[in-house]
């Protein structure tokens, strides 16, 4: 299907300048960003790190992770030499753990293939692990000040309202990219996408947009229609399938038992609680095969269940616990090499889906 739309006149310079003037007065202060009009090149490593972290999360949630990571690993060379387990543990809570694995792969590729320097070329960036069109464009614009068509969900929202795009997302994305490209200029190439992002965060919000103070109000087709919140139109979502699991808490006064997950697949390479397969039917008590303790006569206790939502499915997971003495825990870990013990202070090392289970203890 060919998408087309009647758009405003060819010259958007006046409207673009109003947005940049607004940005000069209202720019957010963010730890990975150069301020409006900055002439110096930003650190590509910090820009790249922030963009990876901001995928699928918010600025307030990502900021402490960014500050922690850049303190632990101030350069791409530092990150490239970091142990996988440490990086994955520090990532816990940001979700989408394939991003953390690609973070390490990319850092190591930058060191081995580019001497520890991010290439200032969009085509070369796209060859690095984890780099897609958006991330490559963002690094080109924010780090190197190059004219690039940076289009994320926030900029899609601004464009869909500005032009009252009647095609729902995601089908409208090629058109929204075309529309956004019309505004890209060499002049203030770094500031322009950041200005749109700040506009979307504080004015052109998903709900209750502040249209009366928007510098694009007089150009906005959705505002003229009187229904800016209706955009972007979204295709109806199919309900997520539900899966069921059972998590096992093997605990002592000092800590609990975890296992290393396979490198490939969901939460690959992460630490997790021992658990049963996530399947479409609920596990009955008679079906549950508990980990063999081989020590003492302690009984398993059902604590309850909890819900967790992944990208492609929702999970309902039962929690069963057994409490061991310190000596029995030591014996258990000695007998089962597939498991290891963590202290209670190390709960943060677990992905959220397993950390939730520990709230039952």
């Amino acid at each position: 299907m060919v998408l087309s739309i009647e758009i405003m006149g060819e010259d958007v310079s006046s409207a673009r300048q109003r947005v940049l003037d607004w940005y000069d007065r209202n720019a957010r202060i963010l730890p990975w960003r150069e301020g409006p009009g900055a002439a110096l090149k930003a650190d590509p490593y910090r820009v790249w790190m922030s963009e990876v972290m901001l995928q699928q999360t918010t600025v307030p949630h990502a900021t402490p992770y960014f500050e922690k990571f850049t303190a632990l690993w101030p350069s791409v060379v530092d990150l490239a030499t970091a142990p996988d387990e440490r990086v994955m543990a520090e990532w816990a809570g940001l979700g989408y753990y394939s991003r953390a694995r690609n973070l390490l792969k990319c850092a190591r590729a930058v060191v081995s293939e580019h001497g520890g320097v991010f290439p200032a070329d969009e085509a070369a960036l796209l060859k690095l692990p984890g780099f897609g069109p958006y991330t490559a464009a963002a690094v080109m614009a924010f780090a190197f000040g190059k004219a690039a068509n940076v289009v994320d969900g926030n900029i899609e929202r601004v464009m869909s309202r500005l032009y009252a795009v009647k095609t729902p997302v995601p089908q409208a994305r090629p058109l929204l990219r075309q529309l956004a490209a019309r505004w890209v200029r060499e002049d203030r190439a770094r500031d322009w996408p950041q200005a749109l992002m700040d506009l979307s965060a504080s004015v052109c919000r998903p709900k209750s947009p502040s249209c009366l103070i928007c510098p694009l109000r007089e150009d906005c087709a959705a505002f003229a229609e009187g229904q800016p919140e209706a955009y972007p139109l979204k295709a109806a979502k199919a309900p997520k399938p539900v899966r069921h699991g059972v998590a096992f808490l093997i605990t002592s006064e000092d800590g609990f038992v975890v296992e290393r997950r396979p490198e490939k697949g969901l939460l690959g390479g992460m630490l997790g609680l021992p658990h049963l397969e996530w399947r479409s039917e609920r596990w009955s008590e008679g079906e549950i095969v508990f980990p063999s303790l081989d020590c003492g006569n302690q009984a398993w206790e059902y604590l309850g269940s909890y819900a967790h939502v992944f990208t492609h499915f929702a999970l309902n997971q039962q929690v069963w616990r057994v409490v061991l003495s310190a000596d029995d825990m030591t014996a258990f870990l000695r007998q089962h090499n597939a498991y290891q013990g963590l202290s209670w202070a190390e709960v943060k090392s677990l992905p959220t889906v397993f950390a939730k289970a520990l709230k039952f203890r």
Side-chain angles (χ1 to χ4, degrees):
M1 178 176 63
V2 177
L3 299 175
S4 62
I5 190 169
E6 182 180 352
I7 61 174
M8 68 174 66
E10 292 292 325
D11 187 7
V12 297
S13 299
S14 176
R16 188 177 186 274
Q17 188 58 53
R18 289 199 303 275
V19 174
L20 289 169
D21 291 343
W22 175 90
Y23 176 64
D24 289 340
R25 300 188 300 270
N26 299 282
R28 291 178 294 178
I29 298 174
L30 301 173
W32 49 80
R33 174 190 280 186
E34 297 294 324
L40 297 177
K41 183 179 75 172
D43 183 353
Y45 171 69
R46 293 172 66 86
V47 170
W48 163 70
M49 177 75 72
S50 70
E51 291 302 330
V52 174
M53 289 185 170
L54 286 168
Q55 294 168 16
Q56 306 295 333
T57 192
T58 63
V59 167
H61 186 60
T63 296
Y65 284 89
F66 174 85
E67 293 173 337
K68 177 176 61 176
F69 266 65
T70 51
L72 289 170
W73 304 293
S75 73
V76 69
V77 176
D78 296 318
L79 181 62
T81 58
D84 291 42
E85 295 80 6
R86 178 71 189 282
V87 173
M88 298 300 286
E90 296 296 345
W91 188 272
L94 266 178
Y96 296 88
Y97 292 93
S98 60
R99 290 182 295 155
R101 294 194 291 274
N102 281 329
L103 200 74
L104 279 168
K105 290 178 183 177
C106 182
R108 290 162 184 168
V110 170
V111 170
S112 64
E113 299 171 16
H114 299 281
V117 178
F118 281 85
D121 177 80
E122 198 163 351
L125 289 173
L126 284 168
K127 295 179 181 178
L128 292 171
F131 264 83
Y134 167 76
T135 306
V139 171
M140 289 300 296
F142 302 154
F144 299 112
K146 302 294 185 181
N149 193 21
V150 184
V151 184
D152 67 352
N154 297 302
I155 293 178
E156 285 180 351
R157 181 169 67 256
V158 174
M159 291 297 148
S160 69
R161 289 175 175 174
L162 190 58
Y163 296 101
V165 175
K166 298 298 191 289
T167 304
V169 174
Q171 292 91 338
R173 282 183 175 142
L175 173 58
L176 295 173
R177 285 188 58 81
Q178 292 172 21
L179 296 173
R182 301 181 63 85
W183 298 72
V184 176
R185 303 282 190 277
E186 292 289 344
D187 175 52
R188 299 191 66 177
R190 174 187 289 118
D191 288 341
W192 172 247
Q194 294 183 151
L196 283 184
M197 289 176 180
D198 283 13
L199 188 73
S200 71
S202 61
V203 176
C204 195
R205 300 183 298 263
K207 297 180 179 180
S208 302
S210 300
C211 296
L212 294 181
I213 62 171
C214 179
L216 289 174
R217 180 183 71 251
E218 64 188 62
D219 308 291
C220 181
F223 177 72
E225 290 180 356
Q227 50 178 0
E229 286 191 53
Y231 298 93
L233 304 182
K234 294 183 180 179
K237 290 184 178 180
K240 290 187 178 183
V242 178
R243 298 182 186 173
H244 301 270
V246 178
F248 300 114
L249 294 182
I250 305 173
T251 71
S252 72
E253 61 181 12
D254 297 322
F256 57 100
V257 169
V258 295
E259 61 184 357
R260 179 73 60 185
R261 298 177 62 81
E263 287 298 324
K264 294 184 178 181
L266 188 62
L267 306 176
M270 299 290 294
L271 292 175
L273 295 175
H275 69 94
L276 295 183
E277 172 192 2
W278 294 336
R279 68 180 197 181
S280 57
E281 301 86 20
R282 188 180 189 279
W283 291 87
S284 69
E285 186 172 347
E287 292 180 289
I288 296 174
V289 178
F290 296 93
S292 176
L293 298 175
D294 297 329
C295 57
N297 297 309
Q298 295 83 355
W300 286 93
E301 175 189 10
Y302 174 67
L303 300 183
S305 64
Y306 64 92
H308 185 81
V309 179
F310 289 102
T311 306
H312 301 298
F313 67 94
L315 175 68
N316 287 326
Q317 185 142 269
Q318 301 176 48
V319 181
W320 288 79
R321 180 186 64 183
V322 66
V323 180
L324 305 180
S325 68
D327 289 342
D328 284 345
M329 176 68 87
T330 300
F332 173 81
L333 293 173
R334 189 181 299 121
Q335 293 163 3
H336 299 277
N337 294 331
Y339 298 137
Q340 67 184 83
L342 291 184
S343 70
W344 291 116
E346 295 176 288
V347 171
K348 67 176 185 178
S349 299
L350 296 183
T352 305
V353 64
F354 295 117
K356 286 180 177 180
L358 288 161
K359 294 179 180 179
F360 284 82
R361 69 180 179 91

mmCIF file with all atom_site columns, all heavy atoms in Angstrom, residues 30-42:
data_model
loop_
_atom_site.group_PDB
_atom_site.id
_atom_site.type_symbol
_atom_site.label_atom_id
_atom_site.label_alt_id
_atom_site.label_comp_id
_atom_site.label_asym_id
_atom_site.label_entity_id
_atom_site.label_seq_id
_atom_site.pdbx_PDB_ins_code
_atom_site.Cartn_x
_atom_site.Cartn_y
_atom_site.Cartn_z
_atom_site.occupancy
_atom_site.B_iso_or_equiv
_atom_site.pdbx_formal_charge
_atom_site.auth_seq_id
_atom_site.auth_comp_id
_atom_site.auth_asym_id
_atom_site.auth_atom_id
_atom_site.pdbx_PDB_model_num
ATOM 1  N N   . LEU A 1 30 ? 19.666 16.769 30.809 1.00 0.00 ? 30 LEU A N   1
ATOM 2  C CA  . LEU A 1 30 ? 19.808 15.321 30.903 1.00 0.00 ? 30 LEU A CA  1
ATOM 3  C C   . LEU A 1 30 ? 21.294 14.968 30.931 1.00 0.00 ? 30 LEU A C   1
ATOM 4  O O   . LEU A 1 30 ? 22.101 15.632 30.265 1.00 0.00 ? 30 LEU A O   1
ATOM 5  C CB  . LEU A 1 30 ? 19.124 14.635 29.707 1.00 0.00 ? 30 LEU A CB  1
ATOM 6  C CG  . LEU A 1 30 ? 17.626 14.913 29.557 1.00 0.00 ? 30 LEU A CG  1
ATOM 7  C CD1 . LEU A 1 30 ? 17.093 14.329 28.253 1.00 0.00 ? 30 LEU A CD1 1
ATOM 8  C CD2 . LEU A 1 30 ? 16.861 14.353 30.746 1.00 0.00 ? 30 LEU A CD2 1
ATOM 9  N N   . PRO A 1 31 ? 21.684 13.945 31.706 1.00 0.00 ? 31 PRO A N   1
ATOM 10 C CA  . PRO A 1 31 ? 23.111 13.669 31.901 1.00 0.00 ? 31 PRO A CA  1
ATOM 11 C C   . PRO A 1 31 ? 23.860 13.245 30.643 1.00 0.00 ? 31 PRO A C   1
ATOM 12 O O   . PRO A 1 31 ? 25.086 13.285 30.627 1.00 0.00 ? 31 PRO A O   1
ATOM 13 C CB  . PRO A 1 31 ? 23.105 12.548 32.951 1.00 0.00 ? 31 PRO A CB  1
ATOM 14 C CG  . PRO A 1 31 ? 21.750 11.933 32.883 1.00 0.00 ? 31 PRO A CG  1
ATOM 15 C CD  . PRO A 1 31 ? 20.824 13.042 32.491 1.00 0.00 ? 31 PRO A CD  1
ATOM 16 N N   . TRP A 1 32 ? 23.164 12.825 29.597 1.00 0.00 ? 32 TRP A N   1
ATOM 17 C CA  . TRP A 1 32 ? 23.839 12.369 28.385 1.00 0.00 ? 32 TRP A CA  1
ATOM 18 C C   . TRP A 1 32 ? 23.776 13.398 27.262 1.00 0.00 ? 32 TRP A C   1
ATOM 19 O O   . TRP A 1 32 ? 24.189 13.141 26.143 1.00 0.00 ? 32 TRP A O   1
ATOM 20 C CB  . TRP A 1 32 ? 23.188 11.086 27.892 1.00 0.00 ? 32 TRP A CB  1
ATOM 21 C CG  . TRP A 1 32 ? 21.691 11.163 27.824 1.00 0.00 ? 32 TRP A CG  1
ATOM 22 C CD1 . TRP A 1 32 ? 20.934 11.738 26.849 1.00 0.00 ? 32 TRP A CD1 1
ATOM 23 C CD2 . TRP A 1 32 ? 20.771 10.673 28.805 1.00 0.00 ? 32 TRP A CD2 1
ATOM 24 N NE1 . TRP A 1 32 ? 19.596 11.638 27.143 1.00 0.00 ? 32 TRP A NE1 1
ATOM 25 C CE2 . TRP A 1 32 ? 19.464 10.981 28.349 1.00 0.00 ? 32 TRP A CE2 1
ATOM 26 C CE3 . TRP A 1 32 ? 20.912 9.983  30.016 1.00 0.00 ? 32 TRP A CE3 1
ATOM 27 C CZ2 . TRP A 1 32 ? 18.320 10.629 29.057 1.00 0.00 ? 32 TRP A CZ2 1
ATOM 28 C CZ3 . TRP A 1 32 ? 19.772 9.648  30.718 1.00 0.00 ? 32 TRP A CZ3 1
ATOM 29 C CH2 . TRP A 1 32 ? 18.501 9.964  30.244 1.00 0.00 ? 32 TRP A CH2 1
ATOM 30 N N   . ARG A 1 33 ? 23.243 14.560 27.514 1.00 0.00 ? 33 ARG A N   1
ATOM 31 C CA  . ARG A 1 33 ? 22.933 15.520 26.461 1.00 0.00 ? 33 ARG A CA  1
ATOM 32 C C   . ARG A 1 33 ? 23.798 16.766 26.532 1.00 0.00 ? 33 ARG A C   1
ATOM 33 O O   . ARG A 1 33 ? 24.113 17.256 27.617 1.00 0.00 ? 33 ARG A O   1
ATOM 34 C CB  . ARG A 1 33 ? 21.457 15.903 26.552 1.00 0.00 ? 33 ARG A CB  1
ATOM 35 C CG  . ARG A 1 33 ? 21.040 16.998 25.607 1.00 0.00 ? 33 ARG A CG  1
ATOM 36 C CD  . ARG A 1 33 ? 19.646 17.498 25.907 1.00 0.00 ? 33 ARG A CD  1
ATOM 37 N NE  . ARG A 1 33 ? 18.626 16.616 25.354 1.00 0.00 ? 33 ARG A NE  1
ATOM 38 C CZ  . ARG A 1 33 ? 17.330 16.903 25.377 1.00 0.00 ? 33 ARG A CZ  1
ATOM 39 N NH1 . ARG A 1 33 ? 16.907 18.020 25.952 1.00 0.00 ? 33 ARG A NH1 1
ATOM 40 N NH2 . ARG A 1 33 ? 16.463 16.066 24.855 1.00 0.00 ? 33 ARG A NH2 1
ATOM 41 N N   . GLU A 1 34 ? 24.137 17.305 25.357 1.00 0.00 ? 34 GLU A N   1
ATOM 42 C CA  . GLU A 1 34 ? 24.701 18.647 25.259 1.00 0.00 ? 34 GLU A CA  1
ATOM 43 C C   . GLU A 1 34 ? 23.542 19.641 25.183 1.00 0.00 ? 34 GLU A C   1
ATOM 44 O O   . GLU A 1 34 ? 22.500 19.346 24.596 1.00 0.00 ? 34 GLU A O   1
ATOM 45 C CB  . GLU A 1 34 ? 25.570 18.764 24.007 1.00 0.00 ? 34 GLU A CB  1
ATOM 46 C CG  . GLU A 1 34 ? 26.779 17.834 24.003 1.00 0.00 ? 34 GLU A CG  1
ATOM 47 C CD  . GLU A 1 34 ? 27.793 18.189 25.074 1.00 0.00 ? 34 GLU A CD  1
ATOM 48 O OE1 . GLU A 1 34 ? 27.968 19.392 25.346 1.00 0.00 ? 34 GLU A OE1 1
ATOM 49 O OE2 . GLU A 1 34 ? 28.392 17.258 25.642 1.00 0.00 ? 34 GLU A OE2 1
ATOM 50 N N   . GLY A 1 35 ? 23.704 20.805 25.764 1.00 0.00 ? 35 GLY A N   1
ATOM 51 C CA  . GLY A 1 35 ? 22.634 21.789 25.791 1.00 0.00 ? 35 GLY A CA  1
ATOM 52 C C   . GLY A 1 35 ? 22.370 22.409 24.429 1.00 0.00 ? 35 GLY A C   1
ATOM 53 O O   . GLY A 1 35 ? 23.111 22.178 23.466 1.00 0.00 ? 35 GLY A O   1
ATOM 54 N N   . PRO A 1 36 ? 21.303 23.212 24.300 1.00 0.00 ? 36 PRO A N   1
ATOM 55 C CA  . PRO A 1 36 ? 20.963 23.848 23.029 1.00 0.00 ? 36 PRO A CA  1
ATOM 56 C C   . PRO A 1 36 ? 22.128 24.655 22.472 1.00 0.00 ? 36 PRO A C   1
ATOM 57 O O   . PRO A 1 36 ? 22.800 25.396 23.194 1.00 0.00 ? 36 PRO A O   1
ATOM 58 C CB  . PRO A 1 36 ? 19.789 24.761 23.388 1.00 0.00 ? 36 PRO A CB  1
ATOM 59 C CG  . PRO A 1 36 ? 19.193 24.161 24.613 1.00 0.00 ? 36 PRO A CG  1
ATOM 60 C CD  . PRO A 1 36 ? 20.347 23.565 25.362 1.00 0.00 ? 36 PRO A CD  1
ATOM 61 N N   . GLY A 1 37 ? 22.371 24.494 21.172 1.00 0.00 ? 37 GLY A N   1
ATOM 62 C CA  . GLY A 1 37 ? 23.399 25.273 20.502 1.00 0.00 ? 37 GLY A CA  1
ATOM 63 C C   . GLY A 1 37 ? 24.821 24.841 20.788 1.00 0.00 ? 37 GLY A C   1
ATOM 64 O O   . GLY A 1 37 ? 25.771 25.517 20.378 1.00 0.00 ? 37 GLY A O   1
ATOM 65 N N   . ALA A 1 38 ? 25.004 23.705 21.484 1.00 0.00 ? 38 ALA A N   1
ATOM 66 C CA  . ALA A 1 38 ? 26.364 23.255 21.822 1.00 0.00 ? 38 ALA A CA  1
ATOM 67 C C   . ALA A 1 38 ? 27.167 23.000 20.552 1.00 0.00 ? 38 ALA A C   1
ATOM 68 O O   . ALA A 1 38 ? 26.698 22.361 19.615 1.00 0.00 ? 38 ALA A O   1
ATOM 69 C CB  . ALA A 1 38 ? 26.306 21.990 22.672 1.00 0.00 ? 38 ALA A CB  1
ATOM 70 N N   . ALA A 1 39 ? 28.401 23.503 20.540 1.00 0.00 ? 39 ALA A N   1
ATOM 71 C CA  . ALA A 1 39 ? 29.253 23.337 19.355 1.00 0.00 ? 39 ALA A CA  1
ATOM 72 C C   . ALA A 1 39 ? 30.147 22.119 19.472 1.00 0.00 ? 39 ALA A C   1
ATOM 73 O O   . ALA A 1 39 ? 30.608 21.571 18.470 1.00 0.00 ? 39 ALA A O   1
ATOM 74 C CB  . ALA A 1 39 ? 30.104 24.592 19.163 1.00 0.00 ? 39 ALA A CB  1
ATOM 75 N N   . LEU A 1 40 ? 30.416 21.675 20.704 1.00 0.00 ? 40 LEU A N   1
ATOM 76 C CA  . LEU A 1 40 ? 31.324 20.555 20.900 1.00 0.00 ? 40 LEU A CA  1
ATOM 77 C C   . LEU A 1 40 ? 30.631 19.235 20.602 1.00 0.00 ? 40 LEU A C   1
ATOM 78 O O   . LEU A 1 40 ? 29.433 19.078 20.836 1.00 0.00 ? 40 LEU A O   1
ATOM 79 C CB  . LEU A 1 40 ? 31.849 20.548 22.343 1.00 0.00 ? 40 LEU A CB  1
ATOM 80 C CG  . LEU A 1 40 ? 32.685 21.759 22.756 1.00 0.00 ? 40 LEU A CG  1
ATOM 81 C CD1 . LEU A 1 40 ? 33.068 21.632 24.227 1.00 0.00 ? 40 LEU A CD1 1
ATOM 82 C CD2 . LEU A 1 40 ? 33.938 21.872 21.891 1.00 0.00 ? 40 LEU A CD2 1
ATOM 83 N N   . LYS A 1 41 ? 31.420 18.288 20.115 1.00 0.00 ? 41 LYS A N   1
ATOM 84 C CA  . LYS A 1 41 ? 30.888 16.949 19.865 1.00 0.00 ? 41 LYS A CA  1
ATOM 85 C C   . LYS A 1 41 ? 30.606 16.252 21.185 1.00 0.00 ? 41 LYS A C   1
ATOM 86 O O   . LYS A 1 41 ? 31.426 16.272 22.094 1.00 0.00 ? 41 LYS A O   1
ATOM 87 C CB  . LYS A 1 41 ? 31.906 16.133 19.051 1.00 0.00 ? 41 LYS A CB  1
ATOM 88 C CG  . LYS A 1 41 ? 31.417 14.748 18.669 1.00 0.00 ? 41 LYS A CG  1
ATOM 89 C CD  . LYS A 1 41 ? 32.444 14.001 17.840 1.00 0.00 ? 41 LYS A CD  1
ATOM 90 C CE  . LYS A 1 41 ? 33.594 13.495 18.688 1.00 0.00 ? 41 LYS A CE  1
ATOM 91 N NZ  . LYS A 1 41 ? 34.491 12.604 17.932 1.00 0.00 ? 41 LYS A NZ  1
ATOM 92 N N   . ALA A 1 42 ? 29.432 15.655 21.315 1.00 0.00 ? 42 ALA A N   1
ATOM 93 C CA  . ALA A 1 42 ? 29.106 14.891 22.511 1.00 0.00 ? 42 ALA A CA  1
ATOM 94 C C   . ALA A 1 42 ? 29.817 13.545 22.459 1.00 0.00 ? 42 ALA A C   1
ATOM 95 O O   . ALA A 1 42 ? 30.235 13.078 21.396 1.00 0.00 ? 42 ALA A O   1
ATOM 96 C CB  . ALA A 1 42 ? 27.600 14.691 22.610 1.00 0.00 ? 42 ALA A CB  1
#
